[in-house]
Amino acid sequence: MNLDRLGARKISAADYNHIQRLIAQAKQWRRLDAAVKNLLPPNLRDHVQTACIEEGCLILLTANNMAASRLRMMLPALLPQLRNLNPHITDARTKLVPKPPAPVRENRLHMSEAALAALNDSAQRLQHHPELAEALQNLVRKQRK
């Protein structure tokens, strides 16, 4: 289904029904993911995500090796509770899907020399507020590098 096409025209009844089924399915997966996470210890919840059910096997994605190995140890004990969440679940397995590293933040702030001179002058005048003066001087030094 082409979603760009949907925005440009009136939605047919068939398209509307299809979208409604997709929304209902997304809600169902969100509920299953939340229920699975409620079965896990709090410190493991942020590292696990429900992926799918393949031939009765619930696939849980983990973000790192530590979470994967801990979850593997817990799955046999959790299986009866997982079966109660969804009758289609007969087994459970974990897959490691590492999160990509966060992009390096780049400072895109560039100040003019006049602004830097004014900040430096302000820092000199704020000797009665040494922490603020030091912060301004650090800002000026970083910008001039």
Side-chain angles (χ1 to χ4, degrees):
M1 175 187 293
N2 185 349
L3 293 178
D4 293 331
R5 199 179 63 184
L6 288 176
R9 65 177 173 85
K10 192 172 181 179
I11 297 174
S12 69
D15 286 341
Y16 180 79
N17 290 337
H18 185 70
I19 291 170
Q20 291 297 82
R21 283 192 306 273
L22 287 174
I23 291 171
Q25 190 176 29
K27 287 179 181 177
Q28 177 185 354
W29 280 109
R30 270 197 311 253
R31 282 192 302 268
L32 179 62
D33 186 56
V36 167
K37 287 180 179 181
N38 281 335
L39 297 175
L40 301 175
N43 61 350
L44 193 58
R45 291 176 186 159
D46 291 339
H47 305 286
V48 177
Q49 181 180 359
T50 304
C52 63
I53 300 174
E54 289 180 348
E55 299 176 9
C57 184
L58 176 67
I59 307 297
L60 299 171
L61 304 179
T62 55
N64 57 52
N65 287 324
M66 184 70 74
S69 58
R70 184 156 184 225
L71 186 59
R72 273 189 210 102
M73 290 187 300
M74 296 175 66
L75 281 177
L78 288 175
L79 193 55
Q81 294 166 306
L82 293 172
R83 286 182 181 143
N84 288 337
L85 296 177
N86 187 316
H88 300 292
I89 297 173
T90 58
D91 196 13
R93 191 172 83 224
T94 182
K95 288 186 177 181
L96 178 64
V97 180
K99 290 183 181 177
V104 177
R105 292 183 62 185
E106 179 182 327
N107 184 6
R108 295 182 184 189
L109 175 66
H110 299 287
M111 295 183 167
S112 68
E113 191 56 41
L116 293 174
L119 287 174
N120 195 33
D121 184 51
S122 296
Q124 298 302 319
R125 293 178 189 206
L126 287 171
Q127 294 307 315
H128 56 283
H129 293 289
E131 292 175 1
L132 180 57
E134 184 180 347
L136 287 174
Q137 289 172 341
N138 286 339
L139 177 63
V140 170
R141 267 195 302 278
K142 285 180 184 178
Q143 286 296 310
R144 285 190 171 146
K145 284 185 181 178

